[in-house]
Amino acid sequence: MTTADQTVHISRPVWNLSWLTPGRCRAILLAVLSLGFFGHLVYLKYWCPFDLTGDEAQYWDWSRKLGLSYYSKGPAVAYIIRASCSIFGDNVLAVRLPALLLAVASSLCSYWLTRRLFGSERMALGAVLLSHVMPLLAAGSLLMTIDPPFYFCWAMATCLAAIAIFDGKRWPWPWIGVAVGVGFLAKYAMLLWLVMLLVFLLIDRPSRGILRGAGFWIAVVIALAFTTPVIMWNAQHDWGTLHHVAGHNLGRSGSFGSNVPDFITGQMAVVGPVTCVLMGGAVVWTLTFGANNRRAYFLMMIGITYLAVIGLTSFRAKVQANWPAPAYFTLTILTAYFLSTRLRSIRQWMPWRPWFYCAIGIGTVMVLLAHDLQPVFAALDGGYVWWHKKKPPTSFRKKDPTIKFQGFEVLANALHQHLETMSPGTLVLCDNYQLTAEMAFYLPNHPITYCVGSYLVDGRGTTQYDMWRDHALDQPELVGRPAIYLGKKMDPDLRAAFSSSRLMPDVEVRINGVVVRGFHMWRCFGFKGMKRVMNGSTATDVDAG
């Protein structure tokens, strides 16, 4: 082969994608999104091993008492869940249906933005497919927490900003304000999106003129107007949200910087370790060689700045793995663009080829396993028996991290059987807000359940249940009633609140005959009433931020 032939071979595109026309890209997109949506519908109805998570159950309980805002979050998630449940009933599928719909909408935003910025339907399809092999985004398409609406509003605001900045249009700015404002009502961190955009407008010289116009500032004013219901609610409730946000996680922050390794490993787990390498490569390439590509810089700044803010937060406090999720909306598109530049020649593609195929393979396996990890741990049990010729001392199935999302319906059924044998008006008391919400959801007729966390000396802080008068434990009409208490232990101050109490047999949760977790239950008689002993402390949850 001559030198000229070698040059042609090296510069030839790696993949021949001429068959992948724009029409076929859209058809594949429609097939992928339809398969994902309807597949998850079937999965949730027939195969999903997970009960509602504690936060999902809590937001559902909020939706039964719609208000201007809530103690730890804005009102958007409660209104979305109530809209779904008012149509389809108070069941798991109805609670989670909005997450499925918002996931489809977010994927459409990803496709549209990629095509708009880079003019390629193939790249747009690649960006969507890449997002579908990230466990974090897959979980966000199933669990109805504050993250799906937050992520969607982040995506919509970014799409509108691209029109305003790169097409020079003025009409998107008010709608940007609306998208940011609605996102704020889902998660307060949405206001940081305006900061991310401001950073880009300051760095990008051609965009600085936007700050001298009215558009950006109109968006800011409209977004801030959406804070009104939250401010009104807080003014009526002693600024409870301010106390919550200010004190969140400080009690478990650890030494300075001690949470950074957890943050890094957490992101590698939820995004995929190899996918993180590809994203890192895309960011470094943009910083090094993409100086003249404003669109790539736009994607990078919106994503990496937010990720950096969360990373810096991990130096002083423990952060949850889901907090940086919106950063990956633009970073995924940037990664797809970066990979497309590598595919222009074999020489550029060769160093990244193994990383790409490993990212797709590992990501696909991780997403599939995230739907049910029990087969993996059952195989570990079987492997131990095969190797050691005996059962493991403790079943590997108990190591499944998703076990904490299972067993609540089993517990509610056992609790209901006990309630049937007790007098009418028996109280249901739980030691934390998540278990309180789970029992309210899974018990027949969805009764009022009571959280005792803030009534205990070593309790678990203030929650929304402390904001509702009909959930208070100092109501005179509750005195004298029997109760069933669910918790890790019977605290002395709780025991003193009853004339007598006795421990019942644990409720065991079994998976294929293996006991994977248990719940403690006490029968209590002669309730004397309780007074809250914690003020201003905060209860934490995985979606706070």
Side-chain angles (χ1 to χ4, degrees):
M1 182 181 295
T2 66
T3 303
D5 291 335
Q6 291 176 344
T7 302
V8 171
H9 177 69
I10 291 174
S11 61
R12 182 184 304 160
V14 177
W15 295 338
N16 181 9
L17 298 176
S18 59
W19 64 273
L20 197 56
T21 61
R24 289 174 178 170
C25 287
R26 295 170 192 173
I28 294 173
L29 174 71
L30 178 61
V32 168
L33 297 185
S34 298
L35 180 63
F37 178 79
F38 290 108
H40 279 149
L41 276 181
V42 174
Y43 167 76
L44 288 176
K45 187 162 182 65
Y46 298 107
W47 296 324
C48 182
F50 315 128
D51 296 328
L52 288 185
T53 66
D55 287 315
E56 288 179 296
Q58 177 192 213
Y59 301 144
W60 167 84
D61 217 359
W62 291 5
S63 78
R64 298 200 289 172
K65 297 177 181 291
L66 296 177
L68 290 174
S69 189
Y70 298 92
Y71 177 72
S72 60
K73 304 291 187 299
V77 65
Y79 280 83
I80 292 171
I81 290 175
R82 184 43 44 197
S84 179
C85 290
S86 65
I87 299 172
F88 302 105
D90 291 299
N91 56 71
V92 173
L93 188 59
V95 172
R96 288 176 170 165
L97 179 61
L100 274 65
L101 295 172
L102 288 167
V104 172
S106 297
S107 291
L108 291 174
C109 287
S110 179
Y111 189 94
W112 182 92
L113 181 59
T114 309
R115 185 186 65 181
R116 185 80 176 207
L117 292 178
F118 303 109
S120 172
E121 303 262 0
R122 298 168 185 168
M123 193 190 307
L125 178 62
V128 173
L129 294 178
L130 183 60
S131 69
H132 276 63
V133 295
M134 295 172 59
L136 177 63
L137 301 187
S141 67
L142 279 173
L143 306 180
M144 187 53 206
T145 64
I146 59 175
D147 284 323
F150 173 44
Y151 188 94
F152 171 70
C153 289
W154 189 286
M156 277 299 302
T158 306
C159 289
L160 291 167
I163 299 174
I165 294 171
F166 299 110
D167 295 346
K169 304 294 183 181
R170 296 180 180 178
W171 65 263
W173 289 111
W175 293 107
I176 289 172
V178 172
V180 174
V182 173
F184 168 83
L185 295 178
K187 192 168 184 176
Y188 302 137
M190 185 70 206
L191 289 182
L192 288 175
W193 183 91
L194 291 171
V195 179
M196 310 299 117
L197 181 62
L198 178 60
V199 170
F200 172 75
L201 295 178
L202 290 171
I203 291 177
D204 183 51
R205 181 172 297 177
S207 299
R208 291 174 188 171
I210 292 175
L211 296 177
R212 294 191 291 269
F216 175 79
W217 306 110
I218 289 174
V220 171
V221 171
I222 293 176
L224 292 179
F226 278 82
T227 66
T228 302
V230 177
I231 293 174
M232 291 176 61
W233 184 92
N234 274 271
Q236 298 167 1
H237 294 84
D238 194 29
W239 304 100
T241 302
L242 184 62
H243 294 305
H244 170 79
V245 174
H248 181 72
N249 273 329
L250 294 182
R252 55 192 177 103
S253 59
S255 59
F256 183 78
S258 61
N259 297 299
V260 175
D262 288 341
F263 168 73
I264 296 174
T265 56
Q267 294 313 294
M268 294 180 67
V270 298
V271 175
V274 186
T275 305
C276 286
V277 173
L278 293 179
M279 285 187 175
V283 170
V284 171
W285 177 84
T286 303
L287 289 171
T288 306
F289 302 106
N292 297 322
N293 194 322
R294 296 175 60 215
R295 290 166 172 79
Y297 255 80
F298 170 73
L299 295 173
M300 183 193 69
M301 292 306 302
I302 294 292
I304 204 66
T305 310
Y306 184 68
L307 188 62
V309 168
I310 304 300
L312 291 174
T313 302
S314 70
F315 277 90
R316 67 170 183 84
K318 181 177 177 59
V319 303
Q320 302 296 338
N322 62 304
W323 287 8
Y328 298 118
F329 173 71
T330 52
L331 291 180
T332 300
I333 297 174
L334 180 67
T335 303
Y337 172 67
F338 167 68
L339 291 174
S340 73
T341 65
R342 304 302 90 192
L343 287 169
R344 292 171 184 170
S345 71
I346 294 177
R347 174 179 293 174
Q348 293 176 315
W349 177 242
M350 289 298 289
W352 294 99
R353 182 173 64 178
W355 295 101
F356 172 76
Y357 288 117
C358 284
I360 299 303
I362 294 175
T364 301
V365 171
M366 290 175 67
V367 168
L368 291 175
L369 290 179
H371 288 77
D372 189 358
L373 283 170
Q374 277 299 307
V376 174
F377 292 96
L380 291 174
D381 279 347
Y384 187 95
V385 171
W386 175 80
W387 182 260
H388 296 281
K389 308 303 181 184
K390 62 180 181 179
K391 292 183 178 180
T394 302
S395 174
F396 285 97
R397 298 185 189 190
K398 295 183 179 181
K399 306 295 184 180
D400 182 354
T402 64
I403 284 175
K404 63 183 179 181
F405 303 142
Q406 303 180 52
F408 297 112
E409 188 171 10
V410 172
L411 175 61
N413 291 335
L415 175 58
H416 178 61
Q417 293 177 8
H418 285 288
L419 290 173
E420 291 276 275
T421 66
M422 300 181 71
S423 61
T426 298
L427 307 176
V428 175
L429 308 181
C430 303
D431 70 345
N432 64 76
Y433 77 93
Q434 294 187 331
L435 194 55
T436 304
E438 297 281 6
M439 293 304 98
F441 182 83
Y442 283 108
L443 281 172
N445 301 319
H446 308 298
I448 289 179
T449 52
Y450 299 87
C451 180
V452 304
S454 63
Y455 294 83
L456 306 176
V457 173
D458 59 345
R460 291 157 184 83
T462 303
T463 70
Q464 180 60 37
Y465 289 107
D466 298 304
M467 305 292 108
W468 291 327
R469 181 58 191 165
D470 59 352
H471 284 72
L473 292 176
D474 60 355
Q475 300 177 75
E477 55 269 29
L478 302 184
V479 175
R481 292 191 189 182
I484 294 181
Y485 171 65
L486 307 174
K488 295 181 179 179
K489 63 179 181 177
M490 174 63 79
D491 294 74
D493 41 343
L494 181 60
R495 189 184 302 276
F498 292 94
S499 300
S500 63
S501 61
R502 60 187 177 92
L503 179 65
M504 304 298 293
D506 285 357
V507 177
E508 295 181 339
V509 178
R510 296 176 178 269
I511 298 179
N512 296 328
V514 177
V515 177
V516 295
R517 69 183 306 191
F519 296 95
H520 304 311
M521 182 183 299
W522 286 263
R523 283 198 183 202
C524 308
F525 299 92
F527 184 56
K528 303 175 185 178
M530 299 184 73
K531 296 288 186 180
R532 291 183 64 231
V533 297
M534 298 190 68
N535 293 289
S537 299
T538 59
T540 58
D541 56 66
V542 297
D543 294 309

